[in-house]
Amino acid sequence: MPRPEVLERIKTAESDADDIVTDAETDREERIADARRKAEEIRQQAEEEAKEYESERLAEARKEIEAERETILNEGEETRKRLIRDAEENTEEAVEYAIDQFEEAVHAQT
């Protein structure tokens, strides 16, 4: 093979190699950019899911708290009614006791 032809083939091979390297670098940069975009999408999706879970859990906690509040209020109302009922039942005895104490105090002074 003549020398000029060999040199031309070498130049062509070098040019092809440069094109391959350039294409590979471009492909690498595109893949890195795609990976970064995908990573950002995954991060955003995870963040949205976390916020959604937080909202759901907060709503559940509020329901639980409201149910517990209602239970406490109902128990308190029952206790209040029972105390009033007991007090009303003991009113007559308390009045009699107060009158007896008053009469004893008056008799003790005379």
Side-chain angles (χ1 to χ4, degrees):
M1 190 177 290
R3 200 172 175 132
E5 208 176 288
V6 171
L7 289 175
E8 188 61 35
R9 287 184 72 189
I10 292 173
K11 286 181 184 179
T12 302
E14 286 177 350
S15 176
D16 290 346
D18 287 343
D19 290 344
I20 291 171
V21 169
T22 301
D23 289 345
E25 287 175 353
T26 302
D27 186 50
R28 177 184 65 106
E29 290 170 8
E30 288 174 358
R31 288 179 184 227
I32 289 171
D34 285 344
R36 286 186 177 141
R37 276 192 298 274
K38 287 179 183 178
E40 180 61 22
E41 288 173 7
I42 291 169
R43 187 195 62 76
Q44 287 178 350
Q45 183 179 3
E47 190 173 296
E48 289 172 9
E49 289 174 2
K51 285 180 181 178
E52 184 178 322
Y53 176 76
E54 177 186 17
S55 294
E56 289 173 1
R57 186 62 190 115
L58 187 58
E60 289 173 10
R62 285 185 174 140
K63 285 180 184 177
E64 291 172 11
I65 289 169
E66 184 60 27
E68 187 175 340
R69 178 184 170 272
E70 287 299 318
T71 299
I72 291 169
L73 288 175
N74 289 337
E75 289 173 356
E77 180 64 19
E78 290 300 317
T79 301
R80 184 186 70 82
K81 287 178 182 178
R82 182 178 45 80
L83 290 172
I84 289 172
R85 189 175 50 249
D86 291 349
E88 287 172 350
E89 289 174 2
N90 293 332
T91 301
E92 195 172 311
E93 290 176 25
V95 168
E96 286 178 17
Y97 177 77
I99 290 172
D100 289 345
Q101 292 297 314
F102 178 75
E103 287 175 352
E104 285 180 19
V106 170
H107 288 307
Q109 290 179 358
T110 57

